[in-house]
Amino acid sequence: MFVPRSLKIKRNANEDGKNCVTKKMKPEAEDLQLDKGRDVPFDALVKKEATTPDRHSSESCPLPSPAGQLAEVCSVGPEQGAKDSHPSEEPVKSFSKTQRWAEPGEPVCVVCGRYGEYICDKTDEDVCSLECKAKHLLQVREKEEKLKLSNPQKADLEPESLLNAFYVYKEHPFILNLQENQIENLKRQLGILVQGQEVTRPIIDFEHCGFPEALNHNLKKSGYEVPTPIQMQMIPVGLLGRDILASADTGSGKTAAFLLPVIIRALFESKTPSALILTPTRELAIQIEKQAKELMSGLPRMKTVLLVGGLPLPPQLYRLQQHVKVGRVGRLGQNGTAITFINNNSKRLFWDIAKRVKPTGSILPPQLLNSPYLHDQKRKEQQKDKQTQNDLVTGANLMDIIRKHDKSNSQK
Ligand code: AMP
């Protein structure tokens, strides 16, 4: 199967065929306008699909398709199209040269660097065409063969059998055998400052982590020969599952420092691995996903989804629907964790949130519980309740209310 990155406007199979022939003979002006709708929001695409199910709907297709490309697209043929793409979608591009170049922030083909319009179903990597998918699978196979030859015992253990394995970080004998003053000297020389109780010793080599062979291979391939100081200290602490607050210069390797423990824990701890990485900027999110993919390559069932503003929504929705299980929870009797982020911008809601969440048994943060806004809102609500109570007509206060009413009328 070949997975398209974008949700496309649905057309029936006959119409697809008709368009293909037309495009093959001579691209029509209308076809050349496909580019127009590239940045149409998803909502708009859905509406257009619902209201104009015919040929005109193709104008809002989110994919750019210059004339030359259309010609090549059609040469895929009906069998290929049926095998490799959804029947209601345009046939996938056959050749790398018919694919356009990726724009900043867009997925990039792992083979040729053009626009990674499709996702290879076998590896979850971005590819631009059938040609690059085939090349990519060949490269993956070669890599696996090489790994087997270089280390037959370890290669046998990977990758699927990793899922049944278990990972516990243990200090490597080399690290264990170092004297305390040697460790202190090392930290001083590398500028590693640590606060916290019983913080584990830093590693000196990636080998000290006991990572799966595929991950060691990815590290080497990415040019990570030795860990940087922030990685030396953060990785073992992260592998132990402790909370970390870290600070280091730009370009010092912080990303891999948190990604490696996230990857390992997601890989070994659960059958449905999931981790959420929040970043302050879109560029950083794109960069982190790229690095995560490099490090996760070849590890079983590890997938990423990039959710950012300012890029077309359909591919993001597609990924989210397909792969995410470094959905809504608590349904149908299942337990789950939901995280609500609040800050002073939502201070008007503090008391409402606390009231709703408290009965579920959730632990509320002291910052929220001690907030003066929350107490102010609570007090105001209690006063209002009291007032409402006073205004209620009951057997006990009925005579009082009538007297008050008479009095005010006589005064008038
Ligand atoms: P970061 O500070 O995480 O943005 O990383 C800066 C750059 O250093 C990125 O291009 C990383 O790929 C690279 N990098 C991170 N860790 C290492 C390492 N141990 N060895 C070599 N390069 C690294």
Side-chain angles (χ1 to χ4, degrees), residues 92-348:
V92 297
K93 293 186 176 50
S94 298
F95 300 106
S96 158
K97 66 177 180 191
T98 61
Q99 184 60 269
R100 66 178 174 85
W101 290 101
E103 283 170 23
E106 281 186 338
V108 169
C109 173
V110 283
V111 179
C112 71
R114 288 170 192 265
Y115 173 45
E117 186 177 355
Y118 313 103
I119 301 163
C120 174
D121 56 308
K122 293 204 172 62
T123 62
D124 197 47
E125 292 291 2
D126 300 313
V127 285
C128 73
S129 58
L130 289 173
E131 182 192 4
C132 280
K133 181 191 175 184
K135 280 186 189 164
H136 167 59
L137 288 176
L138 206 67
Q139 285 170 355
V140 170
R141 213 169 306 137
E142 277 171 9
K143 189 176 125 187
E144 282 170 7
E145 294 294 323
K146 239 187 240 170
L147 206 67
K148 263 188 201 160
L149 285 175
S150 65
N151 203 336
Q153 276 175 337
K154 280 186 180 169
D156 276 352
L157 277 175
E158 294 181 23
E160 282 299 320
S161 52
L162 269 178
L163 295 174
N164 304 320
F166 193 66
Y167 179 92
V168 180
Y169 174 74
K170 283 199 191 115
E171 273 180 349
H172 190 276
F174 176 82
I175 301 291
L176 266 179
N177 288 332
L178 292 175
Q179 305 287 325
E180 198 52 46
N181 63 338
Q182 288 177 304
I183 293 286
E184 287 312 314
N185 269 339
L186 180 82
K187 287 207 261 188
R188 202 172 318 120
Q189 279 170 24
L190 294 172
I192 298 175
L193 286 173
V194 173
Q195 284 180 20
Q197 287 182 353
E198 294 174 37
V199 178
T200 192
R201 292 175 164 195
I203 51 156
I204 296 171
D205 198 299
F206 285 119
E207 293 284 326
H208 296 156
C209 297
F211 286 149
E213 207 48 33
L215 186 50
N216 284 332
H217 176 87
N218 294 339
L219 284 168
K220 289 218 168 73
K221 200 175 149 198
S222 301
Y224 297 16
E225 293 296 333
V226 285
T228 63
I230 184 83
Q231 291 167 353
M232 288 180 179
Q233 185 61 74
M234 241 180 101
I235 291 171
V237 178
L239 289 171
L240 287 169
R242 291 188 64 170
D243 295 336
I244 307 171
L245 190 66
S247 149
D249 286 343
T250 305
S252 57
K254 285 191 292 277
T255 312
F258 71 78
L259 274 182
L260 287 165
V262 162
I263 290 171
I264 285 294
R265 291 182 71 83
L267 181 67
F268 287 100
E269 272 197 357
S270 155
K271 284 189 179 162
T272 54
S274 74
L276 178 67
I277 298 171
L278 299 172
T279 72
T281 65
R282 175 171 30 142
E283 286 68 28
L284 198 55
I286 293 166
Q287 237 172 295
I288 292 173
E289 199 211 16
K290 188 169 168 270
Q291 212 166 324
K293 286 178 119 187
E294 278 173 19
L295 293 173
M296 284 163 29
S297 168
L299 293 173
R301 294 187 217 166
M302 297 291 282
K303 291 172 180 180
T304 58
V305 53
L306 177 69
L307 302 170
V308 290
L311 288 182
L313 198 53
Q316 303 188 41
L317 287 174
Y318 177 79
R319 282 267 187 172
L320 198 58
Q321 282 162 357
Q322 295 296 308
H323 301 310
V324 174
K325 288 164 188 170
V326 151
R328 280 183 288 156
V329 295
R331 303 168 81 205
L332 300 171
Q334 303 259 345
N335 283 334
T337 305
I339 301 174
T340 306
F341 294 93
I342 49 171
N343 61 15
N344 275 349
N345 289 339
S346 40
K347 62 191 175 201
R348 284 184 306 118

Side-chain angles (χ1 to χ4, degrees), residues 364-407:
L364 293 168
Q367 291 91 334
L368 177 66
L369 291 175
N370 297 330
S371 161
Y373 301 116
L374 181 140
H375 288 289
D376 197 37
Q377 286 153 15
K378 187 177 173 183
R379 191 176 44 77
K380 278 185 185 152
E381 188 177 282
Q382 281 169 348
Q383 274 175 358
K384 215 169 148 192
D385 283 352
K386 213 168 159 189
Q387 188 60 44
T388 313
Q389 205 69 28
N390 288 341
D391 292 346
L392 278 182
V393 180
T394 63
N397 68 8
L398 181 62
M399 290 312 293
D400 281 345
I401 291 170
I402 293 172
R403 262 185 233 120
K404 224 164 136 186
H405 181 258
D406 285 350
K407 201 175 162 189

